[in-house]
Amino acid sequence: MDGSIARPRPLLALGVRLLAAFALATMGMLVKLAGERGAHLIELIFWRQLLTMVLLGAGLALTGRWAMLRTQRLPAHTRRAAAGLVGMLFTYGAVLLLPLAEATTLGFTAPVFAVLIAIVLFREKIGPYRWGAVAMGFAGVIVVMQPFGGFHEGVTLTGVAVGLVAPFMVALISFQLQDLNTTENPWSIVFWFSALTTPVAALALPFVAAAHDPLTWGLILGMGLVGAAAQMLLTTSLRFGSAAVILLMDYTSLLWASYYGYAVFDRAAPASLWLGAPLIIGAGLLIAWRERQLARSRVHSAE
């Protein structure tokens, strides 16, 4: 389930992923602020991808490293771009439809979805530990969202559905990135993702674009810059570490999301979130522990 890793350096991977978690939480805050000021979801995605493509391309051109973008795997980049565009739609959509802390907590189910993807795509046999983790993760979702007693303020069924598709796409894309990282460098992966998705988003731009005041444009610019940094950090982390393990560092984004929710949007996370989040996080930790045990067993069997 771990897949192949280009350059295994677990501690570096964990550190990079921690920075990525902070960048993603900050980007989510900027997305929500811009959305509240009238920026459309597609518009936000377009500017995020365009800025990434321009900044990355210009940086490589100025440093004479344009050749790093050469690839023999354009079909793989195209599949990653398609999945990534869908993932961005649901990830940004969850941030716009839900409070930041709740959207972030639902994102923590990515390791649970990674187990389910391993079953379907890789025909991996899953034992009681990981099945238990899957059950624990979704039990945590129920505790956080309280669907049977009526969702708490700011949470809707549509928002929850969108918020659960987002981590599924994150898990799927993590496997794609690990595969690409075996032959491609992070610069190439991020550039082709933005280059292939920017024209697609541009097709819809005439129907959703609107005039904005300077503050909103500043938020959009900041979102694009932070998003570009987050994309590089995410891709680099998967070059040095296993998706099943480093995804656990994403849990730290809940602290940032909760802080932003309170400081920026004047909304404290509900008690149900702090009751359910440990179940979801515990599920991820159990999956990571079991992955490590299975990896050690495979090594001993090969000796």
Side-chain angles (χ1 to χ4, degrees):
M1 182 173 163
D2 288 349
S4 53
I5 302 170
R7 299 177 183 178
R9 295 180 64 181
L11 290 180
L12 176 61
L14 294 175
V16 171
R17 195 73 180 199
L18 281 172
L19 291 175
F22 168 68
L24 286 173
T26 302
M27 184 187 69
M29 179 267 293
L30 294 172
V31 165
K32 195 168 186 67
L33 277 177
E36 290 185 350
R37 297 181 66 85
H40 192 276
L41 171 62
I42 300 297
E43 194 178 4
L44 292 171
I45 290 175
F46 169 78
W47 288 111
R48 148 78 189 276
Q49 296 301 84
L50 178 65
L51 286 170
T52 300
M53 180 179 66
V54 171
L55 290 173
L56 185 54
L60 291 175
L62 289 173
T63 56
R65 294 188 290 175
W66 189 257
M68 294 179 66
L69 300 182
R70 292 175 183 170
T71 181
Q72 301 295 321
R73 301 189 63 189
L74 194 56
H77 283 289
T78 302
R79 290 191 295 271
R80 182 270 184 273
L85 184 57
V86 174
M88 288 180 69
L89 285 169
F90 282 94
T91 299
Y92 282 27
V95 169
L96 294 175
L97 291 171
L98 294 169
L100 272 181
E102 282 83 341
T104 301
T105 302
L106 287 181
F108 294 159
T109 58
V112 175
F113 284 115
V115 171
L116 300 179
I117 289 171
I119 296 172
V120 176
L121 295 186
F122 304 116
R123 300 292 189 270
E124 188 167 330
K125 294 181 179 180
I126 304 299
Y129 286 104
R130 285 183 288 179
W131 274 123
V134 169
M136 184 189 304
F138 287 115
V141 171
I142 292 173
V143 172
V144 170
M145 297 303 163
Q146 299 179 334
F148 304 117
F151 294 112
H152 52 263
E153 181 182 359
V155 176
T156 64
L157 179 60
T158 300
V160 173
V162 171
L164 285 173
V165 174
F168 169 80
M169 295 306 301
V170 168
L172 179 62
I173 292 165
S174 293
F175 287 109
Q176 292 179 317
L177 289 176
Q178 278 194 208
D179 174 60
L180 280 169
N181 267 312
T182 59
T183 59
E184 311 290 285
N185 64 76
W187 305 98
S188 174
I189 295 171
V190 174
F191 177 83
W192 284 111
F193 173 44
S194 58
L196 291 169
T197 53
T198 298
V200 177
L203 292 175
L205 198 61
F207 303 100
V208 299
H212 301 298
D213 59 27
L215 177 56
T216 304
W217 280 116
L219 292 171
I220 293 173
L221 176 62
M223 176 215 65
L225 294 174
V226 175
Q231 192 65 50
M232 280 302 305
L233 291 167
L234 287 170
T235 304
T236 302
S237 71
L238 289 163
R239 187 173 182 82
F240 297 116
S242 164
V245 176
I246 63 174
L247 282 174
L248 302 178
M249 295 301 100
D250 294 352
Y251 297 144
T252 60
S253 62
L254 178 58
L255 301 176
W256 295 110
S258 299
Y259 169 74
Y260 287 140
Y262 178 75
V264 179
F265 300 100
D266 194 27
R267 186 185 188 281
S272 62
L273 184 139
W274 301 113
L275 292 174
L279 289 174
I280 299 173
I281 294 172
L285 293 173
L286 179 57
I287 290 169
W289 171 80
R290 188 55 179 165
E291 287 294 319
R292 182 170 298 179
Q293 294 296 110
L294 292 173
R296 288 176 178 173
S297 297
R298 287 191 289 267
V299 170
H300 290 316
S301 299
E303 292 177 350

PDB file of all heavy atoms in Angstrom, residues 49-69 187-188 190-192 194-195 228 232:
ATOM      1  N   GLN A  49      -4.169  28.144  -9.899  1.00  0.00           N
ATOM      2  CA  GLN A  49      -3.379  27.352 -10.840  1.00  0.00           C
ATOM      3  C   GLN A  49      -2.554  28.229 -11.773  1.00  0.00           C
ATOM      4  O   GLN A  49      -1.405  27.900 -12.093  1.00  0.00           O
ATOM      5  CB  GLN A  49      -4.301  26.435 -11.643  1.00  0.00           C
ATOM      6  CG  GLN A  49      -5.025  25.377 -10.808  1.00  0.00           C
ATOM      7  CD  GLN A  49      -4.072  24.475 -10.075  1.00  0.00           C
ATOM      8  OE1 GLN A  49      -3.601  24.807  -8.981  1.00  0.00           O
ATOM      9  NE2 GLN A  49      -3.769  23.332 -10.654  1.00  0.00           N
ATOM     10  N   LEU A  50      -3.132  29.337 -12.224  1.00  0.00           N
ATOM     11  CA  LEU A  50      -2.387  30.233 -13.113  1.00  0.00           C
ATOM     12  C   LEU A  50      -1.166  30.808 -12.409  1.00  0.00           C
ATOM     13  O   LEU A  50      -0.058  30.836 -12.977  1.00  0.00           O
ATOM     14  CB  LEU A  50      -3.298  31.364 -13.592  1.00  0.00           C
ATOM     15  CG  LEU A  50      -2.622  32.407 -14.505  1.00  0.00           C
ATOM     16  CD1 LEU A  50      -2.192  31.758 -15.815  1.00  0.00           C
ATOM     17  CD2 LEU A  50      -3.557  33.585 -14.761  1.00  0.00           C
ATOM     18  N   LEU A  51      -1.342  31.271 -11.185  1.00  0.00           N
ATOM     19  CA  LEU A  51      -0.224  31.831 -10.437  1.00  0.00           C
ATOM     20  C   LEU A  51       0.868  30.780 -10.209  1.00  0.00           C
ATOM     21  O   LEU A  51       2.061  31.085 -10.316  1.00  0.00           O
ATOM     22  CB  LEU A  51      -0.710  32.387  -9.100  1.00  0.00           C
ATOM     23  CG  LEU A  51      -1.477  33.708  -9.164  1.00  0.00           C
ATOM     24  CD1 LEU A  51      -2.108  34.025  -7.823  1.00  0.00           C
ATOM     25  CD2 LEU A  51      -0.549  34.838  -9.592  1.00  0.00           C
ATOM     26  N   THR A  52       0.458  29.564  -9.897  1.00  0.00           N
ATOM     27  CA  THR A  52       1.434  28.490  -9.697  1.00  0.00           C
ATOM     28  C   THR A  52       2.225  28.248 -10.971  1.00  0.00           C
ATOM     29  O   THR A  52       3.467  28.143 -10.938  1.00  0.00           O
ATOM     30  CB  THR A  52       0.733  27.196  -9.265  1.00  0.00           C
ATOM     31  OG1 THR A  52       0.028  27.424  -8.044  1.00  0.00           O
ATOM     32  CG2 THR A  52       1.739  26.074  -9.065  1.00  0.00           C
ATOM     33  N   MET A  53       1.532  28.150 -12.096  1.00  0.00           N
ATOM     34  CA  MET A  53       2.197  27.879 -13.375  1.00  0.00           C
ATOM     35  C   MET A  53       3.167  29.004 -13.737  1.00  0.00           C
ATOM     36  O   MET A  53       4.322  28.755 -14.115  1.00  0.00           O
ATOM     37  CB  MET A  53       1.159  27.713 -14.477  1.00  0.00           C
ATOM     38  CG  MET A  53       1.756  27.433 -15.851  1.00  0.00           C
ATOM     39  SD  MET A  53       0.477  27.210 -17.116  1.00  0.00           S
ATOM     40  CE  MET A  53      -0.233  28.867 -17.172  1.00  0.00           C
ATOM     41  N   VAL A  54       2.721  30.255 -13.613  1.00  0.00           N
ATOM     42  CA  VAL A  54       3.555  31.395 -13.988  1.00  0.00           C
ATOM     43  C   VAL A  54       4.768  31.523 -13.071  1.00  0.00           C
ATOM     44  O   VAL A  54       5.908  31.687 -13.539  1.00  0.00           O
ATOM     45  CB  VAL A  54       2.726  32.690 -13.969  1.00  0.00           C
ATOM     46  CG1 VAL A  54       3.634  33.907 -14.144  1.00  0.00           C
ATOM     47  CG2 VAL A  54       1.679  32.665 -15.072  1.00  0.00           C
ATOM     48  N   LEU A  55       4.540  31.449 -11.773  1.00  0.00           N
ATOM     49  CA  LEU A  55       5.643  31.601 -10.825  1.00  0.00           C
ATOM     50  C   LEU A  55       6.668  30.485 -10.964  1.00  0.00           C
ATOM     51  O   LEU A  55       7.880  30.731 -10.977  1.00  0.00           O
ATOM     52  CB  LEU A  55       5.096  31.628  -9.395  1.00  0.00           C
ATOM     53  CG  LEU A  55       4.295  32.871  -8.999  1.00  0.00           C
ATOM     54  CD1 LEU A  55       3.671  32.676  -7.625  1.00  0.00           C
ATOM     55  CD2 LEU A  55       5.185  34.106  -9.001  1.00  0.00           C
ATOM     56  N   LEU A  56       6.192  29.269 -11.077  1.00  0.00           N
ATOM     57  CA  LEU A  56       7.100  28.129 -11.189  1.00  0.00           C
ATOM     58  C   LEU A  56       7.844  28.164 -12.516  1.00  0.00           C
ATOM     59  O   LEU A  56       9.072  27.965 -12.567  1.00  0.00           O
ATOM     60  CB  LEU A  56       6.322  26.824 -11.042  1.00  0.00           C
ATOM     61  CG  LEU A  56       7.127  25.536 -11.023  1.00  0.00           C
ATOM     62  CD1 LEU A  56       8.207  25.589  -9.958  1.00  0.00           C
ATOM     63  CD2 LEU A  56       6.207  24.345 -10.772  1.00  0.00           C
ATOM     64  N   GLY A  57       7.111  28.414 -13.598  1.00  0.00           N
ATOM     65  CA  GLY A  57       7.753  28.477 -14.909  1.00  0.00           C
ATOM     66  C   GLY A  57       8.781  29.583 -14.987  1.00  0.00           C
ATOM     67  O   GLY A  57       9.890  29.381 -15.510  1.00  0.00           O
ATOM     68  N   ALA A  58       8.445  30.764 -14.451  1.00  0.00           N
ATOM     69  CA  ALA A  58       9.384  31.886 -14.483  1.00  0.00           C
ATOM     70  C   ALA A  58      10.620  31.594 -13.639  1.00  0.00           C
ATOM     71  O   ALA A  58      11.752  31.905 -14.034  1.00  0.00           O
ATOM     72  CB  ALA A  58       8.690  33.149 -13.973  1.00  0.00           C
ATOM     73  N   GLY A  59      10.409  30.998 -12.480  1.00  0.00           N
ATOM     74  CA  GLY A  59      11.536  30.669 -11.625  1.00  0.00           C
ATOM     75  C   GLY A  59      12.503  29.697 -12.281  1.00  0.00           C
ATOM     76  O   GLY A  59      13.723  29.870 -12.213  1.00  0.00           O
ATOM     77  N   LEU A  60      11.975  28.686 -12.938  1.00  0.00           N
ATOM     78  CA  LEU A  60      12.834  27.711 -13.609  1.00  0.00           C
ATOM     79  C   LEU A  60      13.535  28.332 -14.814  1.00  0.00           C
ATOM     80  O   LEU A  60      14.711  28.034 -15.089  1.00  0.00           O
ATOM     81  CB  LEU A  60      12.000  26.506 -14.051  1.00  0.00           C
ATOM     82  CG  LEU A  60      11.457  25.626 -12.918  1.00  0.00           C
ATOM     83  CD1 LEU A  60      10.556  24.528 -13.466  1.00  0.00           C
ATOM     84  CD2 LEU A  60      12.590  25.013 -12.108  1.00  0.00           C
ATOM     85  N   ALA A  61      12.830  29.206 -15.527  1.00  0.00           N
ATOM     86  CA  ALA A  61      13.439  29.857 -16.688  1.00  0.00           C
ATOM     87  C   ALA A  61      14.576  30.786 -16.266  1.00  0.00           C
ATOM     88  O   ALA A  61      15.650  30.804 -16.891  1.00  0.00           O
ATOM     89  CB  ALA A  61      12.376  30.633 -17.463  1.00  0.00           C
ATOM     90  N   LEU A  62      14.373  31.558 -15.205  1.00  0.00           N
ATOM     91  CA  LEU A  62      15.385  32.505 -14.741  1.00  0.00           C
ATOM     92  C   LEU A  62      16.623  31.813 -14.196  1.00  0.00           C
ATOM     93  O   LEU A  62      17.730  32.345 -14.260  1.00  0.00           O
ATOM     94  CB  LEU A  62      14.793  33.422 -13.670  1.00  0.00           C
ATOM     95  CG  LEU A  62      13.761  34.451 -14.171  1.00  0.00           C
ATOM     96  CD1 LEU A  62      13.129  35.181 -13.000  1.00  0.00           C
ATOM     97  CD2 LEU A  62      14.415  35.441 -15.126  1.00  0.00           C
ATOM     98  N   THR A  63      16.438  30.617 -13.642  1.00  0.00           N
ATOM     99  CA  THR A  63      17.573  29.872 -13.079  1.00  0.00           C
ATOM    100  C   THR A  63      18.169  28.872 -14.069  1.00  0.00           C
ATOM    101  O   THR A  63      19.065  28.100 -13.712  1.00  0.00           O
ATOM    102  CB  THR A  63      17.137  29.130 -11.806  1.00  0.00           C
ATOM    103  OG1 THR A  63      16.008  28.274 -12.108  1.00  0.00           O
ATOM    104  CG2 THR A  63      16.736  30.121 -10.723  1.00  0.00           C
ATOM    105  N   GLY A  64      17.656  28.898 -15.291  1.00  0.00           N
ATOM    106  CA  GLY A  64      18.205  28.010 -16.317  1.00  0.00           C
ATOM    107  C   GLY A  64      17.901  26.545 -16.113  1.00  0.00           C
ATOM    108  O   GLY A  64      18.641  25.679 -16.584  1.00  0.00           O
ATOM    109  N   ARG A  65      16.798  26.262 -15.427  1.00  0.00           N
ATOM    110  CA  ARG A  65      16.440  24.862 -15.154  1.00  0.00           C
ATOM    111  C   ARG A  65      15.135  24.453 -15.841  1.00  0.00           C
ATOM    112  O   ARG A  65      14.428  23.579 -15.378  1.00  0.00           O
ATOM    113  CB  ARG A  65      16.326  24.649 -13.638  1.00  0.00           C
ATOM    114  CG  ARG A  65      17.648  24.799 -12.904  1.00  0.00           C
ATOM    115  CD  ARG A  65      17.523  24.396 -11.458  1.00  0.00           C
ATOM    116  NE  ARG A  65      16.715  25.355 -10.702  1.00  0.00           N
ATOM    117  CZ  ARG A  65      16.368  25.187  -9.420  1.00  0.00           C
ATOM    118  NH1 ARG A  65      16.746  24.093  -8.780  1.00  0.00           N
ATOM    119  NH2 ARG A  65      15.634  26.105  -8.799  1.00  0.00           N
ATOM    120  N   TRP A  66      14.844  25.095 -16.944  1.00  0.00           N
ATOM    121  CA  TRP A  66      13.623  24.800 -17.690  1.00  0.00           C
ATOM    122  C   TRP A  66      13.560  23.336 -18.123  1.00  0.00           C
ATOM    123  O   TRP A  66      12.491  22.752 -18.249  1.00  0.00           O
ATOM    124  CB  TRP A  66      13.535  25.716 -18.898  1.00  0.00           C
ATOM    125  CG  TRP A  66      12.235  25.659 -19.622  1.00  0.00           C
ATOM    126  CD1 TRP A  66      11.985  25.018 -20.800  1.00  0.00           C
ATOM    127  CD2 TRP A  66      10.993  26.243 -19.221  1.00  0.00           C
ATOM    128  NE1 TRP A  66      10.668  25.183 -21.168  1.00  0.00           N
ATOM    129  CE2 TRP A  66      10.042  25.930 -20.210  1.00  0.00           C
ATOM    130  CE3 TRP A  66      10.597  27.015 -18.127  1.00  0.00           C
ATOM    131  CZ2 TRP A  66       8.714  26.352 -20.129  1.00  0.00           C
ATOM    132  CZ3 TRP A  66       9.289  27.438 -18.052  1.00  0.00           C
ATOM    133  CH2 TRP A  66       8.359  27.106 -19.041  1.00  0.00           C
ATOM    134  N   ALA A  67      14.746  22.749 -18.340  1.00  0.00           N
ATOM    135  CA  ALA A  67      14.796  21.349 -18.789  1.00  0.00           C
ATOM    136  C   ALA A  67      14.211  20.391 -17.770  1.00  0.00           C
ATOM    137  O   ALA A  67      13.864  19.250 -18.113  1.00  0.00           O
ATOM    138  CB  ALA A  67      16.240  20.955 -19.097  1.00  0.00           C
ATOM    139  N   MET A  68      14.060  20.829 -16.521  1.00  0.00           N
ATOM    140  CA  MET A  68      13.500  19.964 -15.486  1.00  0.00           C
ATOM    141  C   MET A  68      12.043  19.609 -15.768  1.00  0.00           C
ATOM    142  O   MET A  68      11.516  18.667 -15.184  1.00  0.00           O
ATOM    143  CB  MET A  68      13.601  20.641 -14.116  1.00  0.00           C
ATOM    144  CG  MET A  68      15.018  20.835 -13.612  1.00  0.00           C
ATOM    145  SD  MET A  68      15.082  21.673 -12.005  1.00  0.00           S
ATOM    146  CE  MET A  68      14.323  20.443 -10.955  1.00  0.00           C
ATOM    147  N   LEU A  69      11.412  20.376 -16.663  1.00  0.00           N
ATOM    148  CA  LEU A  69      10.004  20.138 -16.955  1.00  0.00           C
ATOM    149  C   LEU A  69       9.792  19.090 -18.048  1.00  0.00           C
ATOM    150  O   LEU A  69       8.651  18.722 -18.328  1.00  0.00           O
ATOM    151  CB  LEU A  69       9.322  21.450 -17.364  1.00  0.00           C
ATOM    152  CG  LEU A  69       9.357  22.570 -16.316  1.00  0.00           C
ATOM    153  CD1 LEU A  69       8.616  23.787 -16.825  1.00  0.00           C
ATOM    154  CD2 LEU A  69       8.758  22.097 -14.990  1.00  0.00           C
ATOM    155  N   TRP A 187       9.114  19.728  -9.202  1.00  0.00           N
ATOM    156  CA  TRP A 187       8.839  20.907 -10.027  1.00  0.00           C
ATOM    157  C   TRP A 187       8.018  20.521 -11.252  1.00  0.00           C
ATOM    158  O   TRP A 187       7.070  21.212 -11.627  1.00  0.00           O
ATOM    159  CB  TRP A 187      10.150  21.565 -10.462  1.00  0.00           C
ATOM    160  CG  TRP A 187      11.051  21.909  -9.327  1.00  0.00           C
ATOM    161  CD1 TRP A 187      12.113  21.174  -8.875  1.00  0.00           C
ATOM    162  CD2 TRP A 187      10.974  23.055  -8.469  1.00  0.00           C
ATOM    163  NE1 TRP A 187      12.704  21.788  -7.802  1.00  0.00           N
ATOM    164  CE2 TRP A 187      12.024  22.950  -7.533  1.00  0.00           C
ATOM    165  CE3 TRP A 187      10.119  24.162  -8.410  1.00  0.00           C
ATOM    166  CZ2 TRP A 187      12.235  23.907  -6.557  1.00  0.00           C
ATOM    167  CZ3 TRP A 187      10.332  25.117  -7.440  1.00  0.00           C
ATOM    168  CH2 TRP A 187      11.381  24.986  -6.520  1.00  0.00           C
ATOM    169  N   SER A 188       8.414  19.432 -11.875  1.00  0.00           N
ATOM    170  CA  SER A 188       7.698  18.969 -13.067  1.00  0.00           C
ATOM    171  C   SER A 188       6.264  18.558 -12.728  1.00  0.00           C
ATOM    172  O   SER A 188       5.322  18.887 -13.457  1.00  0.00           O
ATOM    173  CB  SER A 188       8.450  17.787 -13.694  1.00  0.00           C
ATOM    174  OG  SER A 188       7.718  17.222 -14.758  1.00  0.00           O
ATOM    175  N   VAL A 190       4.300  19.544 -10.224  1.00  0.00           N
ATOM    176  CA  VAL A 190       3.454  20.691  -9.900  1.00  0.00           C
ATOM    177  C   VAL A 190       3.188  21.540 -11.136  1.00  0.00           C
ATOM    178  O   VAL A 190       2.065  22.001 -11.363  1.00  0.00           O
ATOM    179  CB  VAL A 190       4.106  21.541  -8.793  1.00  0.00           C
ATOM    180  CG1 VAL A 190       3.299  22.818  -8.551  1.00  0.00           C
ATOM    181  CG2 VAL A 190       4.199  20.736  -7.504  1.00  0.00           C
ATOM    182  N   PHE A 191       4.220  21.747 -11.977  1.00  0.00           N
ATOM    183  CA  PHE A 191       4.028  22.572 -13.167  1.00  0.00           C
ATOM    184  C   PHE A 191       3.007  21.962 -14.108  1.00  0.00           C
ATOM    185  O   PHE A 191       2.103  22.661 -14.588  1.00  0.00           O
ATOM    186  CB  PHE A 191       5.355  22.767 -13.910  1.00  0.00           C
ATOM    187  CG  PHE A 191       5.197  23.558 -15.184  1.00  0.00           C
ATOM    188  CD1 PHE A 191       5.175  24.940 -15.154  1.00  0.00           C
ATOM    189  CD2 PHE A 191       5.045  22.915 -16.403  1.00  0.00           C
ATOM    190  CE1 PHE A 191       5.002  25.676 -16.319  1.00  0.00           C
ATOM    191  CE2 PHE A 191       4.869  23.635 -17.579  1.00  0.00           C
ATOM    192  CZ  PHE A 191       4.853  25.020 -17.533  1.00  0.00           C
ATOM    193  N   TRP A 192       3.138  20.672 -14.399  1.00  0.00           N
ATOM    194  CA  TRP A 192       2.213  20.059 -15.353  1.00  0.00           C
ATOM    195  C   TRP A 192       0.795  19.993 -14.796  1.00  0.00           C
ATOM    196  O   TRP A 192      -0.179  20.100 -15.539  1.00  0.00           O
ATOM    197  CB  TRP A 192       2.715  18.672 -15.757  1.00  0.00           C
ATOM    198  CG  TRP A 192       3.859  18.746 -16.719  1.00  0.00           C
ATOM    199  CD1 TRP A 192       5.160  18.420 -16.495  1.00  0.00           C
ATOM    200  CD2 TRP A 192       3.792  19.224 -18.068  1.00  0.00           C
ATOM    201  NE1 TRP A 192       5.922  18.664 -17.603  1.00  0.00           N
ATOM    202  CE2 TRP A 192       5.108  19.147 -18.591  1.00  0.00           C
ATOM    203  CE3 TRP A 192       2.774  19.702 -18.878  1.00  0.00           C
ATOM    204  CZ2 TRP A 192       5.401  19.543 -19.895  1.00  0.00           C
ATOM    205  CZ3 TRP A 192       3.065  20.097 -20.179  1.00  0.00           C
ATOM    206  CH2 TRP A 192       4.356  20.009 -20.672  1.00  0.00           C
ATOM    207  N   SER A 194      -0.578  22.325 -12.883  1.00  0.00           N
ATOM    208  CA  SER A 194      -1.151  23.656 -13.092  1.00  0.00           C
ATOM    209  C   SER A 194      -1.323  23.966 -14.576  1.00  0.00           C
ATOM    210  O   SER A 194      -2.330  24.565 -14.983  1.00  0.00           O
ATOM    211  CB  SER A 194      -0.276  24.720 -12.419  1.00  0.00           C
ATOM    212  OG  SER A 194       1.044  24.688 -12.927  1.00  0.00           O
ATOM    213  N   ALA A 195      -0.371  23.557 -15.405  1.00  0.00           N
ATOM    214  CA  ALA A 195      -0.447  23.857 -16.834  1.00  0.00           C
ATOM    215  C   ALA A 195      -1.611  23.137 -17.511  1.00  0.00           C
ATOM    216  O   ALA A 195      -2.227  23.676 -18.443  1.00  0.00           O
ATOM    217  CB  ALA A 195       0.872  23.480 -17.515  1.00  0.00           C
ATOM    218  N   ALA A 228       0.482  27.667  -4.057  1.00  0.00           N
ATOM    219  CA  ALA A 228       1.634  27.169  -4.822  1.00  0.00           C
ATOM    220  C   ALA A 228       2.675  26.562  -3.891  1.00  0.00           C
ATOM    221  O   ALA A 228       3.241  25.490  -4.166  1.00  0.00           O
ATOM    222  CB  ALA A 228       2.239  28.306  -5.643  1.00  0.00           C
ATOM    223  N   MET A 232       3.898  22.504  -3.683  1.00  0.00           N
ATOM    224  CA  MET A 232       5.281  22.050  -3.734  1.00  0.00           C
ATOM    225  C   MET A 232       5.632  21.232  -2.496  1.00  0.00           C
ATOM    226  O   MET A 232       6.301  20.196  -2.586  1.00  0.00           O
ATOM    227  CB  MET A 232       6.217  23.254  -3.843  1.00  0.00           C
ATOM    228  CG  MET A 232       6.336  23.826  -5.243  1.00  0.00           C
ATOM    229  SD  MET A 232       6.925  22.614  -6.461  1.00  0.00           S
ATOM    230  CE  MET A 232       8.447  22.053  -5.696  1.00  0.00           C
TER     231      MET A 232
END
